[in-house]
Amino acid sequence: MANPIFSDNKLKLGTFCSNGRASSMSLAPEVNNMTWSLSVQAAQMADEAGLEAVVPFARWLGYLESNPNHYSSDVMDTYTWAAATAQATKRIGIFVTSHAPTIHPLLAAKQTATIDHISGGRLGYNIVGGWNRHELEMFGAPLREHEGRYEYLAEWLQVIEKVWASDTPFDHDGEFFRVRGGFTLPKPLQKPRVPIMNAGGSEQGRRFACAHADMCFVIIKTEDAEQIRAEVDSYKKMAREEFGREVQVWTNTFVVQRETQKEAEDFLRYYAVEMQDRECVDAWLASQLAESKSFPPHVLETLRMRFAAGAGGFPLVGTAERITSALKLMSDCGIDGVLLTWADGYVEGIERFARGVLPLLEQDGLRQKCT
């Protein structure tokens, strides 16, 4: 069976951040209430609806160093979460999200191969160089300069791919890793490798994603179709012309779906503006300004509400028809896959989306009816 992320659907869909409580930064009591039972129920509903992927986010420490018990720290480990979610689902692609500096590549290779077997060949691997300084320092792995993070990530992935592919023990002497007799079993079911996702916003990040990833994950910063198309085209052109590769481009969204546009906009304003966790958003913005080169400072501030609303995603706000139009716009601009978050509950959100939006996407030819 081919991994679902390579389905024939023109617009592929998945869920994002359902393994923790920080897809939104809000103090509204209706949000940030994720548990294991709700997480597995959401994955099963997404599976039943025919979505292609369920992608967790990785977090070791939250955004408020002064408050380690803040909800942004409450995130389930993605390896064990993925293994359990794979066992609880049948068809959907299951991702592990991993910060390279927090795990040795030999262990990462063996654990991902094991999960690939548990899932029956449905695993995807979302690899991250790391940017949250204080959580990496907890591991004794000081945050490297921006370019150095991608050099480390490239060698880390190289060792993993050697372990996945090699039928005999190998030695590796690199800048960051020294391996003697590297070898593990089982090998992944998927050949030649488990599909790789990577988000690269800076120039170094974009080049890494185009060189190594099957899915280049981008945060769309505008609702202007020409600008979206230009960003997507730049990824695909770089991958094709510089590295001889074809890649998918995925992005993330937050969904506020209601029967009327006013109801949706009112709820968005309530939880993402009036009840915004400003202390958390401020801490997140400060860390991004200090450590990440994905966003210029002026862009970060304009995206403030999006990060409060749902992981910085593209807004899908309104009726099923309005949301369908926005998804069609992204597809027309070349976006291959969209990850969805819901602040007020994934279970209810997926149910509304499957009932209202999926049939319209099928009518527009963006997706085939799930059977």
Side-chain angles (χ1 to χ4, degrees):
M1 180 181 78
N3 193 303
I5 63 166
F6 299 121
S7 78
D8 292 332
N9 285 325
K10 183 179 180 183
L11 181 65
K12 298 162 183 62
L13 296 171
T15 66
F16 190 36
C17 300
S18 63
N19 63 313
R21 298 180 60 207
S23 64
S24 60
M25 302 179 190
S26 173
L27 300 174
E30 296 91 340
V31 307
N32 296 323
N33 295 315
M34 183 55 71
T35 64
W36 165 246
S37 61
L38 288 173
S39 178
V40 72
Q41 186 180 355
Q44 290 170 334
M45 293 177 67
D47 191 20
E48 186 67 24
L51 273 60
E52 281 82 4
V54 53
V55 182
F57 70 122
R59 183 67 57 241
W60 294 94
L61 295 173
Y63 305 121
L64 300 183
E65 293 186 61
S66 61
N67 181 9
N69 291 305
H70 187 263
Y71 63 79
S72 59
S73 297
D74 192 359
V75 180
M76 287 178 273
D77 163 66
T78 68
Y79 287 88
T80 49
W81 174 91
T85 302
Q87 183 69 9
T89 54
K90 298 177 181 178
R91 297 176 295 183
I92 197 167
I94 306 294
F95 277 71
V96 167
T97 297
S98 186
H99 294 111
T102 68
I103 185 170
H104 192 280
L106 292 178
L107 178 58
K110 191 172 184 71
Q111 290 191 168
T112 49
T114 300
I115 300 169
D116 201 39
H117 279 261
I118 292 170
S119 68
R122 293 183 283 132
L123 181 68
Y125 206 15
N126 180 25
I127 62 173
V128 186
W131 58 268
N132 195 347
R133 180 178 293 274
H134 70 288
E135 69 179 5
L136 295 184
E137 290 176 345
M138 180 175 72
F139 284 83
L143 188 64
R144 301 176 188 278
E145 292 301 317
H146 192 76
E147 187 171 342
R149 298 174 210 173
Y150 286 102
E151 293 171 353
Y152 183 95
L153 185 60
E155 187 177 332
W156 180 84
L157 180 60
Q158 181 186 17
V159 173
I160 290 173
E161 291 183 327
K162 281 183 179 180
V163 175
W164 283 344
S166 180
D167 292 327
T168 57
F170 66 89
D171 294 339
H172 173 90
D173 288 289
E175 181 180 356
F176 306 106
F177 298 101
R178 183 176 182 269
V179 176
R180 288 291 172 267
F183 185 80
T184 71
L185 290 174
K187 305 300 184 186
L189 291 177
Q190 297 179 82
K191 306 297 180 186
R193 66 172 189 179
V194 170
I196 301 297
M197 175 183 281
N198 178 255
S202 67
E203 181 59 26
Q204 296 98 328
R206 283 160 43 88
R207 293 189 64 81
F208 178 89
C210 289
H212 299 282
D214 302 287
M215 294 144 286
C216 299
F217 187 89
V218 302
I219 293 181
I220 299 298
K221 311 171 189 67
T222 176
E223 296 179 48
D224 181 83
E226 290 187 8
Q227 293 183 46
I228 297 172
R229 187 175 292 108
E231 182 168 8
V232 173
D233 287 348
S234 71
Y235 268 90
K236 295 187 177 185
K237 181 179 180 181
M238 178 184 289
R240 185 178 302 116
E241 295 183 358
E242 296 191 33
F243 301 103
R245 307 180 67 246
E246 296 296 326
V247 297
Q248 296 180 11
V249 176
W250 287 55
T251 193
N252 65 308
T253 66
F254 64 88
V255 185
V256 183
Q257 182 181 345
R258 295 294 188 270
E259 293 300 315
T260 69
Q261 190 68 29
K262 183 178 186 304
E263 286 180 284
E265 291 176 355
D266 285 349
F267 184 71
L268 173 63
R269 186 179 309 106
Y270 161 68
Y271 86 86
V273 179
E274 297 170 10
M275 297 295 290
Q276 182 181 122
D277 187 345
R278 289 175 172 78
E279 184 181 21
C280 184
V281 177
D282 287 343
W284 187 91
L285 287 170
S287 68
Q288 287 290 314
L289 286 169
E291 311 297 353
S292 174
K293 296 184 179 180
S294 296
F295 310 104
H298 71 280
V299 173
L300 273 176
E301 191 56 40
T302 60
L303 291 177
R304 180 185 184 97
M305 190 276 288
R306 287 196 188 183
F307 284 101
F314 186 95
L316 298 179
V317 181
T319 63
E321 291 77 12
R322 181 74 170 263
I323 290 170
T324 301
S325 294
L327 289 168
K328 186 175 187 304
L329 178 146
M330 284 192 282
S331 178
D332 288 344
C333 291
I335 293 289
D336 298 289
V338 171
L339 298 180
L340 311 163
T341 68
W342 292 267
D344 57 333
Y346 282 67
V347 171
E348 297 82 357
I350 293 170
E351 190 280 326
R352 285 192 296 261
F353 191 89
R355 173 168 37 88
V357 178
L358 286 182
L360 298 179
L361 294 175
E362 292 162 10
Q363 290 178 22
D364 285 344
L366 296 180
R367 294 184 61 81
Q368 300 172 8
K369 187 173 180 62
C370 178
T371 57

